[in-house]
Amino acid sequence: MVAQTVLPPTYTASQPALEKDGIIYEYTSAADPSVSPIPYLALGSSHHEEGPTRVIPFDLGEKLDVTYPATSPNLLAAYIRILPGESLETQARATSQAFYVIRGRGVSSSQEHGEIRWKAGDLFVLPASAAAVRHVATGVSLEAGGEAAALYWVSDEPLLRYLGVTASEKKFEPTLYTRERMVASVELLKHEEGVEHRNRLGILLGNRMTEANTLTLTHTLWSLLNLLPAGQKQRPHRHNSVALDLCVSAAPQGTYTLMGPELDADGWVKDPIRLEWASGACFVTPPGWWHSHHNDTDQDAWVLPLQDAGLHTHMRTLKIEFSTAEKGAEDSTASCTSSVESDKTTAALTSP
């Protein structure tokens, strides 16, 4: 429906400079405007596996009808590739930045936040930063058999760009989550009674500053390290936050996500889109879409979604729902949508 403007016949501009930008719409034609959908696209791992030191943004801004880089309305994801012995500076107009180390080792430092040493499998978050952050890869040179460092970088910069603001307050302290601590925590969960009935087998990463409210990675960002064991599948769930999922590791073929707007009578995704996992690649799960994870291989797989669920939890709009046993689509959800194309298709983890 096209929004209907209202032009009163008695309209007079007594203060034309102040009134010229004002528009009046008829309510029912404009209450639910059509906006660009969040696409289910992916960015392949080849981008951070070759080439010079650089940042590779997952920029879907044109598809979202915004004039700045964005992967979703609130978040921007990117890969960072750093050759051994080289450095790179990053800067974000953001309240929260998360960095997951896909490969390699190094150190990140800034005047405001000091120094963080990292290695493959670690994750760290940084609060608002006026100055740039310098990242150095400290591994063995490529000539000596080493590898370039690669990081998965997600920030809430698009949210601030949309609001037209800059971050003026540091909301949390720089925080490091080591691979050893995270994996050990998941290992403990694997042996708990009833774990086979859980919708996901993983850990949510929290922060001291969110302990009394959202329990999330930062006040805007949320993250889960999820294990998908060999030969298993995890039933669908959905939420109003977008998910920017990084496949940490998976067998070359046979691990995938099924997603779509609806469930079938058995509580699985109806007419799903299939996204194959590939180690080191990332993909978008649109908000409001049901999504299940499947591992038809003999190798465990791991996925790390980063979401704007901290913001949604604060706004009381997250609305996470879980598909339960096969009871029919009418009553197969337990509660704790975006409009996009829904034709059945298969998508690989490649460039958009």
Side-chain angles (χ1 to χ4, degrees):
M1 179 184 295
V2 177
Q4 176 187 340
T5 59
V6 179
L7 299 175
T10 57
Y11 173 78
T12 58
S14 59
Q15 302 181 76
L18 293 177
E19 294 191 43
K20 65 182 179 63
D21 290 337
I23 303 173
I24 297 174
Y25 298 103
E26 187 280 321
Y27 169 74
T28 59
S29 66
D32 187 19
S34 176
V35 295
S36 299
I38 298 175
Y40 46 85
L41 290 175
L43 189 66
S45 59
S46 61
H47 292 279
H48 60 70
E49 292 172 341
E50 56 191 21
T53 294
R54 68 199 189 282
V55 174
I56 306 104
F58 191 3
D59 184 9
L60 303 178
E62 185 175 348
K63 293 182 178 296
L64 298 171
D65 288 333
V66 297
T67 59
Y68 42 82
T71 314
S72 75
N74 293 335
L75 303 179
L76 174 63
Y79 297 138
I80 299 173
R81 174 177 168 85
I82 314 172
L83 297 179
E86 295 188 5
S87 65
L88 177 72
E89 288 192 344
T90 61
Q91 192 162 10
R93 181 174 155 187
T95 75
S96 305
Q97 300 181 65
F99 299 85
Y100 177 81
V101 186
I102 300 171
R103 183 177 62 252
R105 62 177 58 245
V107 57
S108 297
S109 60
S110 72
Q111 296 175 349
E112 297 164 277
H113 306 312
E115 183 176 283
I116 297 176
R117 294 190 173 276
W118 42 261
K119 63 185 181 312
D122 291 349
L123 183 147
F124 61 96
V125 290
L126 297 177
S129 304
V133 179
R134 183 170 181 261
H135 310 276
V136 180
T138 58
V140 177
S141 69
L142 298 181
E143 293 77 12
E147 59 182 4
L151 294 90
Y152 181 54
W153 175 31
V154 175
S155 78
D156 60 7
E157 181 167 9
L159 172 62
L160 275 67
R161 294 268 187 157
Y162 174 73
L163 295 174
V165 299
T166 56
S168 60
E169 181 181 349
K170 186 174 74 171
K171 297 285 289 185
F172 57 92
E173 295 298 323
T175 308
L176 172 68
Y177 306 80
T178 64
R179 177 186 181 279
E180 292 80 7
R181 184 183 178 194
M182 291 190 289
V183 171
S185 298
V186 176
E187 187 64 30
L188 288 174
L189 294 178
K190 285 172 58 178
H191 303 289
E192 289 188 353
E193 185 178 354
V195 68
E196 68 276 8
H197 302 301
R198 292 176 180 169
N199 187 272
R200 299 291 187 266
L201 174 54
I203 53 169
L204 290 177
L205 303 180
N207 194 286
R208 187 71 62 191
M209 69 83 56
T210 66
E211 191 174 18
N213 39 65
T214 64
L215 308 180
T216 49
L217 183 65
T218 76
H219 57 297
T220 62
L221 299 181
W222 174 105
S223 188
L224 158 75
L225 181 62
N226 179 43
L227 170 64
L228 179 55
Q232 294 192 19
K233 53 190 175 183
Q234 296 174 337
R235 294 192 66 86
H237 74 200
R238 67 175 177 179
H239 36 72
N240 287 335
S241 57
V242 73
L244 307 183
D245 296 87
L246 175 72
C247 175
V248 174
S249 66
Q253 297 289 333
T255 308
Y256 52 93
T257 292
L258 298 180
M259 63 174 74
E262 300 178 62
L263 295 180
D264 63 20
D266 295 320
W268 293 98
V269 181
K270 181 179 180 180
D271 297 326
I273 290 157
R274 174 167 168 158
L275 273 160
E276 296 285 343
W277 290 16
S279 297
C282 64
F283 61 95
V284 179
T285 301
W289 272 33
W290 293 99
H291 46 286
S292 58
H293 301 320
H294 304 254
N295 187 349
D296 296 339
T297 78
D298 59 1
Q299 176 181 317
D300 287 351
W302 295 82
V303 66
L304 178 88
L306 278 157
Q307 303 181 18
D308 51 2
L311 184 63
H312 278 280
T313 303
H314 170 68
M315 294 170 60
R316 282 68 167 175
T317 57
L318 181 60
K319 194 182 177 183
I320 185 166
E321 297 178 278
F322 302 91
S323 171
T324 55
E326 290 81 350
K327 299 186 298 179
E330 290 293 326
D331 61 344
S332 64
T333 62
S335 182
C336 176
T337 63
S338 286
S339 175
V340 293
E341 59 265 48
S342 60
D343 54 309
K344 188 173 182 180
T345 187
T346 299
L349 291 181
T350 55
S351 303

